[in-house]
Amino acid sequence: MARRATQLTPGTGKPEQIATVLEHEIRSGVLGFGERLQSENELVQRFSVSRNTVRKGLEELSSRGLITTKVGIGSFVTFDGMPVDDAIGWSRALANAGANAETRTLRLEIIEDAELAAKLGVESSSFIAVDRVRTNADDGHAISIERSRLPLSPELEDVPLRGLREGSLHQTLRGAGLVSDHGEEWVDIEMLSAADAAILDCAPGTPFLRTRRLTPADGRAIEFVTSLLNPAHFALHLEF
């Protein structure tokens, strides 16, 4: 795709400037999900820099979670839409971001987990287990798996019988008066197990982002959820 020559600003890191220009094109939709970026030679000419500078700029863009580079083929956009705010629940957040996600419930039942109860500091070892998988409705490719554990409480004891409110765990908790405005979240990388790979129709060992989130309300834990997220759809962004 032809692009006009782009003048870089003296005194500022050229790789970072290249990454910022290309990031703007990606986030504005000029470069869409799955689209191939210009070749290294084309970028060298466009920005009037060395090949090494272009490569550093692409590495910076990759570190921002916006592209992936395949040796001998090129760099491709992996960012596919608006930022996703999981505080409002994955289903609504993905819908707001324009993702055509389809959710399937794998499990909704009461379980016993003494180890998790000790970890969360709750007296009862009874939890409501809610396991769900999300895929793209257009082609079925994997988006995420989430495994939520809700300490069993009077407000939630009928959930396994009546199901989730409006199909949303977020709305179910709000409907029960369990609302939180803070929490803790941990993020790392997990290679898909054979079992999870089969659910997501991916190869075992595929790297996924793993998040673990603890949400409290009124001084007690109301949800602990572990999510496996396809890095083609998700990247971590922190503000502090």
Side-chain angles (χ1 to χ4, degrees), residues 185-207:
E185 190 159 16
W186 302 264
V187 182
D188 55 19
I189 298 292
E190 179 171 304
M191 305 302 178
L192 288 184
S193 66
D196 285 340
I199 293 171
L200 291 166
D201 195 21
C202 295
T206 299

Side-chain angles (χ1 to χ4, degrees), residues 121-137:
V122 296
E123 294 183 3
S124 174
S125 61
S126 298
F127 292 85
I128 299 173
V130 185
D131 296 354
R132 291 177 292 176
V133 61
R134 304 185 197 281
T135 55
N136 183 278

Side-chain angles (χ1 to χ4, degrees), residues 70-86:
K70 300 179 181 179
V71 178
I73 301 178
S75 297
F76 298 83
V77 178
T78 54
F79 176 80
D80 65 348
M82 298 168 59
V84 174
D85 178 12
D86 67 335

Side-chain angles (χ1 to χ4, degrees), residues 5-228:
T6 302
Q7 187 68 40
L8 299 182
T9 304
T12 306
K14 291 181 179 179
E16 289 76 13
Q17 289 188 64
I18 292 171
T20 297
V21 170
L22 295 175
E23 178 177 2
H24 174 73
E25 292 179 355
I26 291 170
R27 292 190 181 278
S28 66
V30 173
L31 290 168
F33 176 71
E35 188 170 340
R36 184 180 181 275
L37 272 66
Q38 291 173 285
S39 68
E40 287 186 359
N41 285 337
E42 290 171 323
L43 291 172
V44 164
Q45 295 178 18
R46 176 182 175 185
F47 292 102
S48 300
V49 295
S50 68
R51 183 182 295 270
N52 187 52
T53 299
V54 164
R55 287 177 176 171
K56 289 181 178 179
L58 293 176
E59 289 174 1
E60 172 64 24
L61 198 61
S62 178
S63 74
R64 299 180 189 181
L66 299 174
I67 66 168
T68 184
T69 299
K70 300 179 181 179
V71 178
I73 301 178
S75 297
F76 298 83
V77 178
T78 54
F79 176 80
D80 65 348
M82 298 168 59
V84 174
D85 178 12
D86 67 335
I88 61 174
W90 282 124
S91 295
R92 182 170 296 181
L94 288 167
N96 288 350
N100 190 13
E102 197 169 64
T103 303
R104 179 164 53 96
T105 299
L106 304 175
R107 185 185 197 187
L108 178 55
E109 62 183 1
I110 296 175
I111 65 168
E112 297 294 321
D113 192 332
E115 183 178 348
L116 181 59
K119 180 178 181 178
L120 300 184
V122 296
E123 294 183 3
S124 174
S125 61
S126 298
F127 292 85
I128 299 173
V130 185
D131 296 354
R132 291 177 292 176
V133 61
R134 304 185 197 281
T135 55
N136 183 278
D138 294 326
D139 60 16
H141 75 260
I143 294 178
S144 67
I145 289 180
E146 67 178 60
R147 296 183 170 96
S148 298
R149 300 295 179 263
L150 316 175
L152 189 60
S153 64
E155 300 98 322
L156 299 173
E157 60 185 3
D158 62 340
V159 169
L161 295 176
R162 62 177 172 83
L164 300 178
R165 184 173 182 176
E166 301 177 19
S168 166
L169 186 51
H170 179 73
Q171 291 300 322
T172 299
L173 291 171
R174 289 186 65 87
L178 301 174
V179 180
S180 178
D181 61 359
H182 70 287
E184 297 180 77
E185 190 159 16
W186 302 264
V187 182
D188 55 19
I189 298 292
E190 179 171 304
M191 305 302 178
L192 288 184
S193 66
D196 285 340
I199 293 171
L200 291 166
D201 195 21
C202 295
T206 299
F208 265 52
L209 288 171
R210 180 179 70 161
T211 67
R212 290 167 293 160
R213 186 179 66 214
L214 174 61
T215 306
D218 299 326
R220 58 180 171 130
I222 59 171
E223 181 187 14
F224 182 77
V225 56
T226 300
S227 299
L228 295 176

